[in-house]
Amino acid sequence: MRETTTRYFNRLRSTFASFTAGQKAVVVVGGAAVLLAGFMVYRWAAAPTYSPLFSNLSASDASAVVDELDATGVSYELTDGGTTIMVPKDEVYPTRIQLSGQGLPADTGTDGYSILDDQGISTSEFQEQTDYKRAMEGELDNTIEAIDGVDTAVVHLAIPQKDVFTSEQQPTTASVLVGTRTGTTLSAEQVQAIVHLVASSVDGLDPDNVTVADATGKVLSAPGGTASADASARTQQEAAVQDALHTKLQTMLDQVVGPGNATVQVTAQLDFDKSTTETLDYQPDRTIPALTESAQTETYTSADGTTTTGNANGVVGVNGQTEVGNTNGNGSSSYENSSSSRTNGVDTVRNTTESTPGAIQSLHVGVVLDSTTTQAISAADVQNLVASTIGIDQQRGDTVSVLSMPFDRTAADSAAAELAAAQAADAAAAKTDLYKKGALAGAIALMLLIAWFRARRRAKARTKAATMVVEQITAERAALAAANAAPAELALAEADENETDLMREELAQIIDRQPDEVADLLRGWLAEKS
């Protein structure tokens, strides 16, 4: 095994020695590149997987944790601007437990309701109220810091004392100061979320009385700012409707008149008023019998037998009744009074209609056609098509205007020319790069082929020279054995196959190290044989 290994390395060394200087440089550089690539792959495979140890650390806590990790020899990485510390995944929990035993990180957030745990029986009412306000502020601080993008938050509450002898109380107000991460800004939705979160957490706090500001001093939300927020939401909703209608019309016109031959703009006005309409309707049903029914009849019979319906002759009493009696002192009279009434059932229908804000109030569409390419298209047809596509209602005040005029395509032509030039330059650069790579690959292949032919020719020459030397040495040994009266077979038996191979390798190395001396020796042998 040792002889085989030695023989293999000797052969590699002899092969490398036969290369030219350029070939040797290529082999050395290529070998170094392969070793470097293998080392990088090994390093990547052996690198540990890092996981967060602590996140959102303050500067003081991050410094203390890093110092402790350096002291214990735990590898770590800093991310998120130094607020997050990463350690190997298998060391997260042991390291966290070890640091917790040392009180790190110390700044774990603002105290919340835990403040109330330290109150004693001798705590005054003022201190109770103050601690309660501090607890509410701390809880709100921690809650707001959980919002994505918020690094720190400070909440201040102004809760006035309730006075039982006054009818009007001062309103509760709140102020919020948020610090965002580097390169992060809060959106309008996040600001409104903070406002309503604080307002919903404090009893009697109206969202209009919450002020939100960032660390730069910019007011994000202030009392009375709800209208501006609503205006922004309305503007966004109108823009969304306009964009949807514009995309719909532009796609249709591109298919009808061709891309770039028509442009369209849509202006939408939305109705954001919220209205509620209540209607009460009475609908009697004649087929249903009356619920109650009554009738009234008055009959007066005089002394002479005449019957009169209605008021009779006589004196009206104090109660408004007609006093019936003798009208001429002779005879008698009578009075009868009857009444009836009817009450019918009536169906009642109550209808309440509530309109949702955001309905389209009016639409205004403007379309311009390129007169140089759309001469055969009627503007009236395009107007009718647009009106039918998006539902134009003239009674609502919608308008559609279609004009035909030549387009200014100077900028488009210039952009197209620049694009074509850039594409041509890219194509030329790609072709040149391809030629360069092909020429380099061809040169390398040619160098390798030449090196292979030269190495092969030299290997053959070495083999031939070594064979000649071995034959000469063998012949000299045979002659020496014959001169010493020893059998020639014994001399030939001593030159076994392994010894011959070793001799060939040694001679090949000698030929590589001293080619001129070996060449002179061979010339001398050839001259003696001739």
Side-chain angles (χ1 to χ4, degrees):
M1 180 67 181
R2 181 179 180 182
E3 295 179 355
T4 305
T5 305
T6 304
R7 191 183 308 131
Y8 177 74
F9 280 106
N10 292 334
R11 189 174 301 170
L12 289 177
R13 186 172 59 183
S14 61
T15 303
F16 180 77
S18 63
F19 288 168
T20 62
Q23 294 174 347
K24 291 180 180 179
V26 171
V27 171
V28 171
V29 173
V34 172
L35 292 177
L36 180 61
F39 174 73
M40 295 301 294
V41 172
Y42 170 77
R43 186 176 180 181
W44 172 79
T49 302
Y50 283 85
S51 297
L53 178 65
F54 296 113
S55 300
N56 297 327
L57 292 175
S58 62
S60 58
D61 281 343
S63 177
V65 171
V66 167
D67 292 341
E68 187 64 26
L69 293 178
D70 289 335
T72 56
V74 178
S75 60
Y76 62 89
E77 292 180 355
L78 298 178
T79 59
D80 294 338
T83 60
T84 300
I85 299 179
M86 311 282 289
V87 297
K89 187 175 182 180
D90 55 347
E91 298 182 4
V92 172
Y93 296 106
T95 306
R96 190 175 295 173
I97 293 174
Q98 181 181 0
L99 294 176
S100 298
Q102 299 179 6
L104 294 175
D107 187 8
T108 57
T110 308
D111 292 333
Y113 288 118
S114 59
I115 297 177
L116 304 179
D117 298 337
D118 299 332
Q119 290 185 352
I121 192 172
S122 60
T123 304
S124 63
E125 182 180 359
F126 174 76
Q127 186 175 356
E128 287 182 356
Q129 295 177 356
T130 304
D131 290 343
Y132 175 74
K133 187 171 73 71
R134 289 177 55 198
M136 289 289 297
E137 292 173 348
E139 291 293 331
L140 290 173
D141 292 346
N142 298 331
T143 304
I144 295 174
E145 289 175 358
I147 298 177
D148 187 19
V150 178
D151 193 8
T152 58
V154 179
V155 179
H156 294 287
L157 300 178
I159 304 176
Q161 292 183 351
K162 294 183 179 180
D163 192 351
V164 296
F165 298 103
T166 58
S167 59
E168 295 183 359
Q169 297 286 340
Q170 294 294 328
T172 303
T173 59
S175 61
V176 182
L177 178 64
V178 293
T180 58
R181 298 174 184 172
T182 304
T184 303
T185 57
L186 296 180
S187 62
E189 291 78 8
Q190 290 177 315
V191 174
Q192 290 300 313
I194 294 175
V195 170
H196 290 284
L197 182 66
V198 174
S200 302
S201 302
V202 181
D203 184 20
L205 179 58
D206 191 90
D208 294 339
N209 295 327
V210 179
T211 302
V212 181
D214 60 7
T216 61
K218 180 181 178 181
V219 178
L220 304 179
S221 177
T226 307
S228 60
D230 293 342
S232 177
R234 294 176 182 180
T235 303
Q236 294 178 0
Q237 188 171 352
E238 287 182 348
V241 173
Q242 292 174 170
D243 292 341
L245 295 177
H246 174 269
T247 302
K248 186 177 182 179
L249 291 176
Q250 190 66 55
T251 303
M252 181 193 66
L253 292 175
D254 289 343
Q255 294 178 354
V256 173
V257 301
N261 295 326
T263 180
V264 60
Q265 293 294 331
V266 180
T267 302
Q269 295 179 355
L270 305 183
D271 185 8
F272 293 97
D273 295 335
K274 183 178 179 181
S275 61
T276 303
T277 304
E278 294 186 0
T279 303
L280 184 61
D281 188 12
Y282 297 98
Q283 299 177 353
D285 192 351
R286 303 298 181 181
T287 61
I288 300 177
L291 298 178
T292 60
E293 184 177 358
S294 62
Q296 182 177 359
T297 305
E298 292 181 311
T299 305
Y300 172 72
T301 303
S302 62
D304 56 0
T306 302
T307 302
T308 304
T309 302
N311 293 329
N313 294 328
V315 180
V316 179
V318 294
N319 293 329
Q321 301 295 331
T322 303
E323 296 182 2
V324 182
N326 294 329
T327 57
N328 52 10
N330 298 321
S332 63
S333 62
S334 64
Y335 172 78
E336 296 180 358
N337 183 3
S338 63
S339 63
S340 64
S341 63
R342 174 182 297 178
T343 302
N344 294 318
V346 179
D347 293 338
T348 302
V349 178
R350 186 183 299 274
N351 186 12
T352 302
T353 304
E354 183 175 346
S355 63
T356 303
I360 296 178
Q361 188 175 11
S362 64
L363 290 176
H364 305 281
V365 183
V367 180
V368 181
L369 304 176
D370 188 3
S371 59
T372 59
T373 57
T374 60
Q375 297 177 356
I377 299 177
S378 174
D381 294 338
V382 174
Q383 184 174 359
N384 294 332
L385 183 62
V386 170
S388 301
T389 302
I390 62 175
I392 294 297
D393 188 359
Q394 295 181 355
Q395 296 181 355
R396 192 173 54 187
D398 299 347
T399 59
V400 178
S401 178
V402 179
L403 298 178
S404 181
M405 58 183 64
F407 281 8
D408 184 6
R409 300 184 180 273
T410 304
D413 295 340
S414 177
E418 293 179 359
L419 181 61
Q423 291 177 351
D426 292 341
K431 188 180 295 185
T432 303
D433 185 61
L434 181 62
Y435 288 157
K436 290 181 179 179
K437 292 181 179 178
L440 180 60
I444 293 175
L446 181 60
M447 292 174 60
L448 293 177
L449 184 62
I450 294 174
W452 181 75
F453 276 118
R454 288 184 177 180
R456 185 177 180 184
R457 185 175 60 184
R458 291 184 179 182
K460 290 182 178 180
R462 286 198 306 272
T463 303
K464 185 176 180 181
T467 303
M468 292 176 63
V469 173
V470 170
E471 291 177 355
Q472 182 67 25
I473 294 174
T474 304
E476 291 179 356
R477 287 182 178 181
L480 181 60
N484 295 331
E489 292 80 5
L490 180 60
L492 294 175
E494 292 177 356
D496 55 358
E497 183 178 359
N498 293 333
E499 186 177 357
T500 302
D501 293 339
L502 293 175
M503 188 180 300
R504 290 178 187 274
E505 293 179 0
E506 293 177 357
L507 289 175
Q509 296 176 7
I510 295 174
I511 292 171
D512 292 335
R513 293 194 301 268
Q514 301 175 352
D516 296 336
E517 289 79 355
V518 174
D520 294 338
L521 178 63
L522 292 177
R523 292 192 192 98
W525 286 346
L526 292 175
E528 292 177 359
K529 289 182 180 180
S530 61

